[in-house]
Amino acid sequence: MTGLRPTGHVVTRDGVALFSRGAGAGPPVLLLASWSLSSLSWGAIMARLAGEGFRALAYDRRGHGRSADPGGAQGEGMDYDTLADDLADVLATEDQHGVTLVALSGAAGEAVRCLTRHGAGRIARLVLIGPTTPLLLQRPDNPAGIPAEALAALRGALLDDLPRWLAENARPFGGPLPSDALLDAIRADALTASLPALLAFHQALAETDFRAELAALDLPLLVIQGDADATCPLDLTGRPTADLVKGARLVVVPGGTHGLIASHPALLATAIAGFARGEG
């Protein structure tokens, strides 16, 4: 019998309470939400995975959703080392092994850093959806990246009027398929996050270089990304991410934007379930 288990919290090593949820029973799949979003954003995929015989788990990143906000004007604790430690604490508290770890967008860095910092003892395979890895920032050794000035201007827009920025970018994020109601719900979820946390996390996901860490991974990797992803262009993120990991598989969604979680939940659930079963 599947169903939603009682919600609860995981307390991290530095005392931050992270809200967690789960559905179903079976092999574990742990889902990490995108920048600004909470575990709620995985609802449609969690339900599908539970129906396919998996134990679907998700939690709210610190400063997001129903998790505690440690505070601090500079969004302390939103560096990838701390976020990777949080993920390791969730895995230990849930006491799950053979986990299929699924990370969306900026959560890709959390997943990769957790693997390189804590090892793959509990994680059997990795799925990255529209990742921000390996490096978004333009540098002399990454000339195709996004200029620092453009990234700083984006954070300035978030600081000035986050609700307006979310409203203007909801449809480009989701593309033509999601309903207005679904995009409104995603915007409402994002507005529950701490603004200092969002700004600090965005800077981390934009400037952290994961090229060496990706090359060091030794586990099955599936990358899924839309070829119309304007937020994290495929040739800057998903394709080089897959190229850096030996044996990785890249699935490109024709016409897919950054918000595949809103536009293609059934496709994602099917791909995750098949990968978790070792199909393909």
Side-chain angles (χ1 to χ4, degrees), residues 5 15 46 60 71 81 101 103 105 107 123 135 155 205 223 232 261 270:
R5 72 163 171 83
M46 289 182 73
D60 297 353
D81 282 354
L101 183 61
S105 189
I123 301 168
L135 175 62
R155 288 191 292 274
L205 67 85
V223 180
C232 298
I261 195 170
T270 298

Side-chain angles (χ1 to χ4, degrees), residues 7-54:
T7 54
H9 285 83
V10 172
V11 179
T12 68
R13 64 195 67 193
D14 60 344
V16 179
L18 305 179
F19 177 80
S20 63
R21 68 177 77 235
V29 178
L30 178 58
L31 304 138
L32 304 179
S34 171
W35 172 86
S36 82
L37 298 183
S38 77
S39 57
L40 278 176
S41 63
W42 289 110
I45 292 171
M46 289 182 73
R48 286 177 167 87
L49 290 172
E52 289 292 323
F54 291 93

Side-chain angles (χ1 to χ4, degrees), residues 6-273:
T7 54
H9 285 83
V10 172
V11 179
T12 68
R13 64 195 67 193
D14 60 344
V16 179
L18 305 179
F19 177 80
S20 63
R21 68 177 77 235
V29 178
L30 178 58
L31 304 138
L32 304 179
S34 171
W35 172 86
S36 82
L37 298 183
S38 77
S39 57
L40 278 176
S41 63
W42 289 110
I45 292 171
M46 289 182 73
R48 286 177 167 87
L49 290 172
E52 289 292 323
F54 291 93
R55 174 72 171 147
L57 300 160
Y59 68 95
D60 297 353
R61 183 181 295 110
R62 59 174 63 207
H64 291 60
R66 295 168 66 180
S67 287
D69 179 8
Q74 302 305 313
E76 289 83 357
M78 300 309 295
D79 60 282
Y80 274 117
D81 282 354
T82 302
L83 296 174
D85 290 348
D86 288 352
L87 171 54
D89 290 342
V90 171
L91 287 166
T93 300
E94 295 286 352
D95 193 24
Q96 298 290 342
H97 297 269
V99 174
T100 298
L101 183 61
V102 182
L104 176 64
S105 189
E110 279 166 295
V112 173
R113 181 61 53 85
C114 185
L115 285 161
T116 59
R117 186 173 170 86
H118 296 281
R122 294 178 181 272
I123 301 168
R125 59 196 64 82
L126 176 63
V127 181
L128 301 179
I129 303 169
T132 54
T133 54
L135 175 62
L136 289 182
L137 179 66
Q138 184 182 74
R139 299 190 334 195
D141 62 348
N142 192 44
I146 302 170
E149 297 80 8
L151 294 165
L154 189 156
R155 288 191 292 274
L158 300 176
L159 179 61
D160 288 342
D161 193 341
L162 176 62
R164 176 178 177 176
W165 186 90
L166 290 170
E168 291 175 347
N169 286 277
R171 185 55 65 185
F173 169 81
L177 297 178
S179 67
D180 289 340
L182 178 55
L183 294 178
D184 287 346
I186 290 172
R187 288 167 50 206
D189 186 27
L191 286 170
T192 66
S194 156
L195 183 54
L198 293 186
L199 296 171
F201 187 30
H202 184 273
Q203 186 162 4
L205 67 85
E207 298 180 2
T208 305
D209 185 352
F210 285 101
R211 288 175 291 187
E213 290 174 78
L214 284 163
L217 294 185
D218 184 21
L219 80 173
L221 170 64
L222 172 64
V223 180
I224 307 173
Q225 189 160 14
D227 62 7
D229 187 337
T231 303
C232 298
L234 176 64
D235 288 336
L236 177 63
T237 58
R239 198 179 301 283
T241 291
D243 288 343
L244 283 165
V245 180
K246 184 179 179 180
R249 183 158 59 96
L250 173 65
V251 173
V252 177
V253 180
T257 59
H258 194 56
L260 295 179
I261 195 170
S263 61
H264 294 75
L267 181 152
L268 292 181
T270 298
I272 292 166

